[in-house]
Amino acid sequence: MKRTKSALRHIVAIGGAMSKAGASAPLLIQYSLSLSKKKKPRILGLSTATGDAQSSELWFYKLCANLQCSPSHISLFARTPTDLAAQVMASDVVFVGGGNTKSMLAVWREYGLDQILRSAYDGGVIMTGSSAGGICWFEGCLTDSWADSYTSLPALGFLKGSCCPHYDGEVGRKDTYYGKIQSGELADGYALDEAAGIHFVNETATCAITASKGASAY
């Protein structure tokens, strides 16, 4: 399935820890689903950042169970399907879960999934995700892919600038992100609290969303 360039391109970047949103967590997914303007949109889950852990896939399907959508997923750590592009292009929404951002991006690039996602995004497929799935769309991001440290990482570059997830949820995030921006290691960007996100339309931040009281985007 081939998509032509869409007049509207959407990314909903979420800061992570959707479990902290409790029963409100599905609202963050529903927000992205509603952008498709379809009664039962097709949502594709990518849990590459956890090595396609079964627990991640089950969580995704459980999250979608009470929403008006048709969920499916792609696994890159089992027998990888040969029709990756067709599956992505046939989706209305792509949801990317959290985990190891560095490993996720490396696997995507090996399979050419980064370019497939770019084509799908340009064609109007709505991109969203939490934690690793929230920061991967930017030029750069702050990640804890390496144990016991926060490092900067080049990402997909769909959106200009950088992004930091878990802004209010992990010790050292704020100071490290600010420091890396001040030093020029990361470009100016966006910081996302747990269970909070930003909706970008045609690469421009349009509004913040949240499913947890007190959560903010910056």
Side-chain angles (χ1 to χ4, degrees), residues 2 28 43 54 70 91 96 126 148 158 185 198 213 215 217:
K2 186 177 180 180
L28 292 168
I43 181 169
Q54 186 178 34
S70 178
S91 303
V96 181
I126 297 152
D148 303 320
F158 295 10
E185 186 175 334
I198 299 177
K213 185 177 181 180

Side-chain angles (χ1 to χ4, degrees), residues 52-75:
D52 293 325
Q54 186 178 34
S55 59
S56 298
E57 293 174 0
L58 290 174
W59 177 87
F60 169 71
Y61 281 103
K62 183 178 180 180
L63 195 67
C64 293
N66 296 318
L67 299 174
Q68 289 298 313
C69 64
S70 178
S72 63
H73 75 280
I74 287 178
S75 175

Side-chain angles (χ1 to χ4, degrees), residues 53-191:
Q54 186 178 34
S55 59
S56 298
E57 293 174 0
L58 290 174
W59 177 87
F60 169 71
Y61 281 103
K62 183 178 180 180
L63 195 67
C64 293
N66 296 318
L67 299 174
Q68 289 298 313
C69 64
S70 178
S72 63
H73 75 280
I74 287 178
S75 175
L76 298 177
F77 285 86
R79 294 286 185 178
T80 303
T82 56
D83 59 345
L84 287 177
Q87 285 187 256
V88 175
M89 296 295 185
S91 303
D92 299 302
V93 179
V94 171
F95 176 83
V96 181
N100 190 309
T101 311
K102 184 177 179 66
S103 296
M104 177 184 76
L105 291 172
V107 172
W108 283 2
R109 287 165 178 148
E110 183 67 24
Y111 280 97
L113 188 56
D114 56 334
Q115 296 301 315
I116 293 171
L117 289 170
R118 178 78 227 198
S119 295
Y121 169 65
D122 286 339
V125 177
I126 297 152
M127 301 293 163
T128 186
S130 175
S131 189
I135 62 177
C136 63
W137 315 108
F138 295 82
E139 291 177 314
C141 59
L142 186 72
T143 178
D144 59 355
S145 296
W146 295 101
D148 303 320
S149 66
Y150 297 124
T151 57
S152 58
L153 181 71
L156 294 174
F158 295 10
L159 299 173
K160 290 188 179 299
S162 65
C163 189
C164 174
H166 309 292
Y167 197 57
D168 66 336
E170 296 178 353
V171 176
R173 282 275 185 182
K174 291 183 179 181
D175 290 343
T176 303
Y177 186 48
Y178 184 77
K180 289 186 181 299
I181 289 175
Q182 288 295 97
S183 70
E185 186 175 334
L186 282 172
D188 292 354
Y190 304 86

